[in-house]
Amino acid sequence: MTKVVADISVSLDGFVTGPEPGPEQGLGRGGEGLHIWALQPDGIDRVVLEESVAATGVVIMGRRLFDVVDAPDGWSAEMGYGADLAAEPPVLVVTRNPPETVRLADRMTFVVDGIASAVAKGVAMAEGRDVVIMGGGETVRTAIEAGLVDELRLHLSPVLLGGGIPLFDGAAPRTLRQIHVRPSGHATHLTYRVD
């Protein structure tokens, strides 16, 4: 049965990017530390990554993240969804304004009518596998607040960024149920049920 999973790396001080993120600087100043677990995985990180990629049927992302992924230094044959696993599930990009040119056009579909529509389309396409909302922070937060997410997976990275895009800034109060914790040498992988 398809689950909708919000899956994102976050710093100890609650940011999903460092300051000044964008296509040229990806995750912002210092933000690369958020993904050490995926880019230089130890054994536990590798298992987390492989399990996630194997279960994923469709990926959803917001426009800001898409701009980084589709930039010249973004995803490639060697580096993509699942880091070096470079999996190629269909990707739905939530945006009001699709770009005129797309480097990765073969795997990107633009959804202009909001996150709920993207999730519904993802569930229809996923063939029983997971629909993974991988970011950015605003897209994940919006999906949770709209009641569209079954599970939240946080990869808590041992970095303090001091600024950037916060994951839960302004989020409505909510209690989650912790269902899994996996500490590794690079992150603590936390899974929560979102009721």
Side-chain angles (χ1 to χ4, degrees):
M1 184 169 144
T2 298
K3 279 187 300 195
V4 178
V5 178
D7 188 308
I8 195 164
S9 296
V10 64
S11 68
L12 288 175
D13 52 350
F15 295 98
V16 296
T17 73
E20 301 172 21
E24 300 80 32
Q25 211 166 229
L27 293 169
R29 286 191 332 257
E32 59 280 345
L34 292 168
H35 290 157
I36 298 280
W37 75 272
L39 299 174
Q40 299 170 19
D42 67 13
I44 292 169
D45 298 323
R46 175 60 66 181
V47 168
V48 168
L49 201 58
E50 288 173 350
E51 287 175 355
S52 271
V53 169
T56 299
V58 173
V59 171
I60 296 174
M61 68 177 66
R63 176 60 189 269
R64 272 190 260 183
L65 180 55
F66 164 79
D67 287 343
V68 172
V69 162
D70 199 59
D73 293 329
W75 285 359
S76 66
E78 295 79 33
M79 184 63 59
Y81 181 70
D84 66 348
L85 300 177
E88 295 187 12
V91 177
L92 302 176
V93 180
V94 182
T95 182
R96 289 190 181 101
N97 301 303
E100 290 187 23
T101 61
V102 178
R103 185 174 60 83
L104 301 172
D106 59 325
R107 42 186 145 149
M108 304 291 175
T109 301
F110 297 92
V111 179
V112 297
D113 50 350
I115 187 70
S117 177
V119 168
K121 288 174 182 162
V123 169
M125 295 168 63
E127 299 178 347
R129 297 169 74 203
D130 292 349
V131 172
V132 177
I133 303 170
M134 65 173 282
E138 183 179 342
T139 304
V140 166
R141 184 173 54 251
T142 300
I144 291 170
E145 289 178 353
L148 301 170
V149 174
D150 300 310
E151 246 178 50
L152 172 62
R153 293 183 193 148
L154 297 177
H155 308 284
L156 187 62
S157 299
V159 295
L160 297 171
L161 295 173
I165 296 176
L167 181 55
F168 292 119
D169 188 38
R174 169 174 245 121
T175 301
L176 306 176
R177 184 168 45 98
Q178 184 169 291
I179 56 176
H180 207 271
V181 177
R182 288 187 197 174
S184 77
H186 302 298
T188 302
H189 306 283
L190 303 159
T191 305
Y192 299 94
R193 178 82 193 158
V194 181
D195 298 318

Coordinates of all heavy atoms in Angstrom, one line a residue, residues 19 66 99:
P19 N 22.8 29.3 5.0 CA 22.5 30.6 4.5 C 22.8 30.7 3.0 O 23.7 30.1 2.5 CB 23.4 31.6 5.3 CG 23.8 30.8 6.5 CD 23.8 29.4 6.1
F66 N 14.0 21.9 -7.1 CA 14.2 21.5 -8.5 C 15.3 22.4 -9.2 O 16.1 21.9 -10.0 CB 12.9 21.7 -9.3 CG 13.1 21.7 -10.7 CD1 13.3 20.5 -11.4 CD2 13.1 22.9 -11.4 CE1 13.5 20.5 -12.8 CE2 13.4 22.9 -12.8 CZ 13.6 21.7 -13.5
P99 N 9.6 26.0 -15.7 CA 10.6 26.6 -16.5 C 10.4 26.4 -17.9 O 9.8 25.4 -18.3 CB 11.9 26.0 -15.9 CG 11.5 24.7 -15.4 CD 10.1 24.9 -14.9

